[in-house]
Amino acid sequence: MDIIRAARKYRMFQPGDRVLAAVSGGPDSVAMLHALHSASKELDISLHVAHLNHCIRGEQSNLDEEFVRDLAHAFHLPATVERVDVPAEKAKMGVGEEEAARAVRYKFLRQTAAELNIDRVAVGHNADDRAESVLLNVLRGSGMDGLRSIRPVRGMIVRPLIDTPRSEIEAYVEENRLPHRIDESNMDLSYSRNRIRHELLPILERDYNPQVRSALIRLAEIASNESGFVSDSASAA
């Protein structure tokens, strides 16, 4: 089962690339790491694991950190692990917890990549994440860039699972008996993304369009192509 087909489709890696794999410990990032590690000789890449402990879930966050350290050791891969108190950073930044965590996480990944002379940073967003982000951005009244949603490649950030639905990743995890951690906050309906995932999308699938996820991803692809065309035309002009 090729769950990192997007890596080839979008030419995410070049031979000899040093790749920083962002691993939270959840099924998506663990599956991504396993698949990239299995294909590393074919892709001619070397891997380095990165994990940021957000200090949001108390002891569970510490157990996630320990799990990722052990996982990297099991794969015989080097790992960089850091801790940042996201609840404290949230207060300083004056934003929500999700936004603060995202900002802190990408700062950590980019700094680590610079320190290690990394070529690409691989993160575990999947096809369902992309569909959810399109819908979230629609509800926010986003423009064309928001409809593009999560991009397969953005600078040095690449998303090898972006064409793979969550159900396929879960099957891959089960088939390969991959250990992983479950983040209970993914069920917390106080977060907008979780309400979209667990409430709104199931309603849309049941009552309006059983293929709504595919439709949202198609919308993202159309928006991406049109935005790229506008940008290229403006540059040429």
Side-chain angles (χ1 to χ4, degrees):
M1 184 187 299
D2 182 12
I3 66 167
I4 55 167
R5 49 187 172 269
R8 299 173 180 83
K9 176 181 175 181
Y10 299 105
R11 299 178 182 177
M12 293 182 177
F13 308 114
Q14 297 299 318
D17 273 355
R18 303 187 70 224
V19 179
L20 189 68
V23 180
S24 67
D28 294 352
S29 61
V30 168
M32 180 190 73
L33 179 64
H34 181 272
L36 288 176
H37 186 257
S38 300
S40 59
K41 289 185 178 178
E42 176 192 345
L43 296 172
D44 190 17
I45 60 174
S46 58
L47 294 167
H48 188 110
V49 175
H51 175 80
L52 183 67
N53 182 339
H54 296 86
C55 301
I56 293 175
R57 296 164 47 242
E59 183 58 22
Q60 291 302 312
S61 292
N62 297 334
L63 291 173
D64 291 345
E65 176 184 326
E66 182 180 347
F67 171 81
V68 174
R69 286 185 189 276
D70 291 342
L71 185 68
H73 180 74
F75 282 121
H76 304 288
L77 294 173
T80 297
V81 177
E82 288 188 14
R83 294 186 180 192
V84 175
D85 187 343
V86 168
E89 291 299 313
K90 175 184 97 170
K92 292 178 187 176
M93 297 166 68
V95 298
E97 191 168 83
E98 284 181 290
E99 188 175 348
R102 182 182 183 281
V104 166
R105 181 167 59 252
Y106 279 100
K107 180 181 179 181
F108 159 69
L109 292 172
R110 289 194 167 92
Q111 286 181 341
T112 303
E115 291 168 3
L116 297 174
N117 196 28
I118 291 291
D119 300 292
R120 294 287 184 268
V121 176
V123 296
H125 292 118
N126 60 48
D128 289 71
D129 291 324
R130 194 176 195 191
E132 291 159 8
S133 291
V134 173
L135 191 50
L136 182 62
N137 289 339
V138 166
L139 295 175
R140 288 171 172 166
S142 142
M144 186 69 75
D145 275 350
L147 294 182
R148 294 173 75 178
S149 179
I150 304 172
R151 304 177 201 177
V153 178
R154 188 168 189 174
M156 72 185 312
I157 305 293
V158 297
R159 298 178 168 92
L161 302 180
I162 198 66
D163 286 346
T164 307
R166 189 171 291 120
S167 59
E168 191 173 327
I169 294 169
E170 290 170 352
Y172 181 90
V173 167
E174 183 176 353
E175 177 185 337
N176 290 280
R177 299 181 179 179
L178 300 178
H180 57 279
R181 299 276 298 164
I182 298 298
D183 183 350
E184 297 85 356
S185 67
N186 288 332
M187 300 299 296
D188 185 348
L189 298 182
S190 66
Y191 295 116
S192 298
R193 179 177 291 275
N194 288 345
R195 291 199 300 276
I196 286 173
R197 176 178 300 176
H198 299 297
E199 294 182 341
L200 183 54
L201 268 172
I203 290 172
L204 294 175
E205 284 180 315
R206 185 189 69 218
D207 296 341
Y208 294 89
N209 179 3
Q211 302 301 320
V212 67
R213 295 173 197 267
S214 297
L216 290 167
I217 292 169
R218 188 164 61 252
L219 174 60
E221 292 289 348
I222 292 169
S224 183
N225 290 336
E226 291 188 356
S227 181
F229 173 76
V230 170
S231 179
D232 291 345
S233 297
S235 296

